[in-house]
Amino acid sequence: MRKIDPFLTALICAVLLATVFPCKGNATLILEYVTDACIMVMFFMQGIKLERRAILENMRNWKLQGLVLACTFLLFPLLGVALHALAPGLLDSNTWLGVLFLCCLPSTVQSSIALTSLANGNVAASICAATLSNIAGIFITPVLVSVVLHTQGVWSAQAITDIAVQLLLPFVAGQLLQPVLHKWAHRNKKIISITDRSSILLVVYTAFSHAVVEGIWSQLDLQSIISLVAIDVGILLLVLLITQLLGKACGFPSRDEVSLILCGSKKSLASGVPMANVLFPASIAGFIILPLILYHQIQLFLCTLIARHYHTKHSSDV
C-alpha cells in the first residue's frame, strides 16, 4: 500500500489551521510580506536548479517536446474551457476560476522525472520537457490566465510589475548565477526542498486565511467538493487518454510515450501556488488554489499506477 505523502498531510494541516485560526488584522499584512519574500526565494532557487543544458541536449526530439508543451498549454486550457461551457453550474464562479487557472499551469519537474524513472522511460527527455515547461510557464501562464479567465486586473500594469519582481527577476538571477551556485544547490537539495515546501505551505495558509474570512466553507458544501474532485479526475483521465493516443499515433517508442504521458498530464503545485498569490486578489486566492491542491494528489496517485504498469512492461521486454 502506498504511504500517504507527508507533504499532502502538511497541506491539509495548513488548510485546517487556516480554517480554525485564520490570520487577521496586522498579522495578515506582515504575513503577506513574508510570503512575497518566500515566493522570490522559490523562483530564485528554480532558476538555479533548472538546467539549460538539459533542454539543449534533448531539443532534437522536437516532436516529443512540442507535444508536451502543446498538451500543457493548449490541450488543458481547451478541456477546461469546454467543461466550464458544458456544466457551468457544477461549481461556483470562483472555484471554476481555480479549475481554469489549474489548466494554464506548467508541468511538474521532480515528480515527472521521478515517475519517468520509475517507469523505465526516457528520463533525459522528461528532464528537458519538464524544465522547458517550467521556464515557458513563467511567461505563458499569466498570458493564458488573462485569455482563458477573462478576468479584469489579471493582466494589469500592477500584475505585470508583480510578475516581473516576484517571479521573473529572481528566476533570471538564479539562471545567471547557476554556474556558480549549481553545485551548492545539488549538495543541499534536501534543505532547498524543505525551504520550497515550507514556502508553499505558508502561501497556502495565507491564501486560505483570506478565503475563510471571505466565507469559503459557507460557499463550498460537500456536493461542491465532490464535483470539484470529479472535474479534476475527469480532466486528468482525458489528458492521460489523449497523450497515450498521441504517442501511438506519432509512432513513439514506449519509453518516449511514457515521457509524453507523465510530463504532459502534470500540473505544478510549486509554480501554481505562488503564481495564484501574485495574479489574483487575496480574497479569492484560496478558491483558486483548492482545485490545484486536490489535483496534485490525484495526479501523483494515478500517474504512479501508470508508471508501475510501464515498469512491469519494460522489465518484461528486457
Side-chain angles (χ1 to χ4, degrees), residues 63-73 107 129-130 133 259-261 263-264:
K63 188 181 292 186
L64 172 59
Q65 303 302 332
L67 280 175
V68 171
L69 288 176
C71 290
T72 303
F73 296 118
S107 182
S133 175
S259 294
L260 175 59
I261 292 171
C263 294

Side-chain angles (χ1 to χ4, degrees), residues 221-272:
D221 54 17
L222 181 59
Q223 184 178 349
S224 298
I225 298 294
I226 293 172
S227 297
L228 177 55
V229 171
I231 289 170
D232 274 0
V233 172
I235 290 174
L236 177 56
L237 290 177
L238 281 171
V239 173
L240 289 171
L241 175 61
I242 292 170
T243 50
Q244 183 182 38
L245 293 174
L246 283 172
K248 294 187 181 304
C250 292
F252 286 163
S254 181
R255 286 173 169 77
D256 284 359
E257 183 181 297
V258 167
S259 294
L260 175 59
I261 292 171
L262 295 180
C263 294
S265 62
K266 294 286 200 316
K267 288 296 176 180
S268 175
L269 184 74
S271 295

Side-chain angles (χ1 to χ4, degrees), residues 165-229:
V165 172
Q166 294 187 49
L167 308 184
L168 184 56
L169 289 181
F171 178 82
V172 171
Q175 283 280 289
L176 292 174
L177 292 173
Q178 188 182 84
V180 179
L181 296 177
H182 182 67
K183 289 183 179 179
W184 172 85
H186 184 74
R187 288 195 304 268
N188 296 276
K189 285 191 294 186
K190 183 170 287 188
I191 295 174
I192 292 173
S193 177
I194 292 171
T195 302
D196 285 350
R197 293 188 169 204
S198 299
S199 299
I200 292 170
L201 292 174
L202 183 60
V203 177
V204 168
Y205 170 74
T206 304
F208 267 93
S209 290
H210 285 295
V212 168
V213 172
E214 294 293 326
I216 184 172
W217 299 125
S218 63
Q219 298 179 50
L220 286 178
D221 54 17
L222 181 59
Q223 184 178 349
S224 298
I225 298 294
I226 293 172
S227 297
L228 177 55
V229 171

Side-chain angles (χ1 to χ4, degrees), residues 20-197:
V20 179
F21 300 109
C23 188
K24 298 178 181 178
N26 292 331
T28 301
L29 185 61
I30 296 171
L31 202 57
E32 286 176 355
Y33 284 121
V34 174
T35 55
D36 288 348
C38 288
I39 289 169
M40 294 175 73
V41 171
M42 282 178 62
F43 275 81
F44 176 72
M45 291 301 179
Q46 279 199 32
I48 294 174
K49 291 186 295 181
L50 296 179
E51 296 189 53
R52 297 185 297 275
R53 185 179 62 183
I55 297 175
L56 297 174
E57 289 177 353
N58 289 277
M59 280 303 292
R60 287 171 293 182
N61 196 348
W62 60 269
K63 188 181 292 186
L64 172 59
Q65 303 302 332
L67 280 175
V68 171
L69 288 176
C71 290
T72 303
F73 296 118
L74 184 60
L75 176 61
F76 264 101
L78 289 175
L79 289 175
V81 169
L83 285 173
H84 180 244
L86 289 171
L90 278 180
L91 301 171
D92 68 275
S93 59
N94 285 335
T95 311
W96 263 121
L97 289 181
V99 173
L100 294 173
F101 172 70
L102 156 72
C103 292
C104 297
L105 290 172
S107 182
T108 62
V109 177
Q110 287 91 341
S111 63
S112 292
I113 296 168
L115 290 175
T116 302
S117 178
L118 173 62
N120 290 331
N122 189 337
V123 175
S126 288
I127 292 172
C128 175
T131 304
L132 186 59
S133 175
N134 271 257
I135 293 174
I138 295 175
F139 304 93
I140 295 175
T141 294
V143 178
L144 268 180
V145 168
S146 181
V147 172
V148 172
L149 272 64
H150 302 293
T151 48
Q152 294 181 352
V154 171
W155 198 238
S156 63
Q158 183 60 47
I160 295 172
T161 302
D162 290 343
I163 291 165
V165 172
Q166 294 187 49
L167 308 184
L168 184 56
L169 289 181
F171 178 82
V172 171
Q175 283 280 289
L176 292 174
L177 292 173
Q178 188 182 84
V180 179
L181 296 177
H182 182 67
K183 289 183 179 179
W184 172 85
H186 184 74
R187 288 195 304 268
N188 296 276
K189 285 191 294 186
K190 183 170 287 188
I191 295 174
I192 292 173
S193 177
I194 292 171
T195 302
D196 285 350
R197 293 188 169 204

